[in-house]
Amino acid sequence: MARAIEVSGLDKGFTLHLRGGVHLSVLDGFTLQVEVGECVALRGPSGAGKSTVLRCLYGNYLPDRGTVSVRDGEAMVDIATAGPREILALRRSTLGYVSQFLRVVPRIGALDLVMEPARERGLDAEAARERAVTLLERLHIPELFWDLPPATFSGGEQQRINIARGLVGEHPILLLDEPTASLDAANRASVVELIKLAKARGATVVGIFHDREVRDAVADRVLDIDSMGAAA
């Protein structure tokens, strides 16, 4: 099988300026390989660096050392050395991301917000709308809410908008940071089915799933990260 993600010797730390410049090492020599179509769940204690791994893969964090390569078509691109424009292009074409928080322009309606990544990937407005509507319905967002800005929604509703937005583009690689953390059982089940559908179309998934049932349902492999950010 072809490799979709290859991380080698990844170090990442943070300087705590409000604590006298103390340096906090989060990842130390972290290594990860993920095959195309595989779902790998990252597991470890709070502060071990799970979310930091995802943010390095998405290009939000610049590694201190190491390589962070993802497949873009036939080529592997090292995000650690890629320029800002290249990273933005990867996010449009290759990387879908569901974070723990929804950050949006307050006045944009939910449907338009969910459609946006699909439009960026080249779908026309009608096709993007159809795909977005399907996701909103599967995630139990009432049609009455579709034109309203998600900033007015409850936390669980915002998270479902976040999930729909992350999945609508059908990106080849999906990065999921606790996508079901604030959801009830019915909506967790819907998200599990959507992740399974993404895998069925060949998507590669790296995710953090604190809910064991969700993790067991979607993950092909679990990678444990210890408290020093090293894979075990």
Side-chain angles (χ1 to χ4, degrees):
M1 294 179 65
R3 183 141 309 157
I5 295 171
E6 185 159 7
V7 179
S8 179
L10 175 60
D11 292 353
K12 180 60 183 175
F14 301 91
T15 300
L16 307 181
H17 296 287
L18 297 179
R19 296 296 180 90
V22 171
H23 184 78
L24 177 64
S25 179
V26 177
L27 297 173
D28 183 12
F30 179 79
T31 297
L32 171 68
Q33 293 87 34
V34 187
E35 305 299 321
V36 171
E38 184 181 21
C39 177
V40 173
L42 305 178
R43 181 173 62 186
S46 178
K50 302 182 299 297
S51 293
T52 299
V53 171
L54 296 188
R55 289 166 186 160
C56 287
L57 284 167
Y58 197 60
N60 281 347
Y61 288 168
L62 179 66
D64 299 328
R65 187 178 68 86
T67 59
V68 182
S69 297
V70 299
R71 179 169 296 279
D72 182 31
E74 297 300 317
M76 296 294 287
V77 178
D78 184 5
I79 292 176
T81 58
R85 290 186 179 181
E86 192 171 10
I87 289 174
L88 289 175
L90 279 172
R91 291 176 181 176
R92 286 191 295 268
S93 67
T94 301
L95 298 171
Y97 182 53
V98 176
S99 72
Q100 299 176 45
F101 309 102
L102 179 64
R103 296 181 178 89
V104 298
V105 177
R107 294 180 180 84
I108 295 180
L111 179 58
D112 288 337
L113 185 70
V114 172
M115 287 173 55
E116 184 180 17
R119 295 285 283 145
E120 289 179 347
R121 292 210 70 207
L123 268 69
D124 62 36
E126 183 178 352
R129 187 182 192 282
E130 181 178 346
R131 192 180 288 180
V133 164
T134 297
L135 285 167
L136 290 171
E137 289 176 342
R138 294 197 66 156
L139 291 166
H140 309 116
I141 300 295
E143 186 173 356
L144 179 67
F145 289 6
W146 293 357
D147 291 329
L148 300 177
T152 65
F153 294 2
S154 71
E157 289 163 346
Q158 288 189 23
Q159 182 63 355
R160 280 178 274 156
I161 295 297
N162 213 11
I163 292 164
R165 180 175 165 82
L167 297 179
V168 72
E170 297 189 353
H171 294 83
I173 297 175
L174 296 176
L175 309 173
L176 309 179
D177 193 349
E178 300 186 50
T180 61
S182 58
L183 304 185
D184 58 29
N187 283 305
R188 283 198 302 272
S190 295
V191 173
V192 166
E193 290 307 309
L194 289 171
I195 295 172
K196 288 181 175 179
L197 285 172
K199 289 177 62 182
R201 65 170 171 79
T204 302
V205 182
V206 179
I208 302 167
F209 310 100
H210 284 171
D211 187 304
R212 182 175 179 178
E213 289 186 8
V214 173
R215 183 171 63 239
D216 290 347
V218 301
D220 300 302
R221 178 163 54 95
V222 176
L223 182 68
D224 287 303
I225 305 177
D226 65 25
S227 59
M228 291 299 294

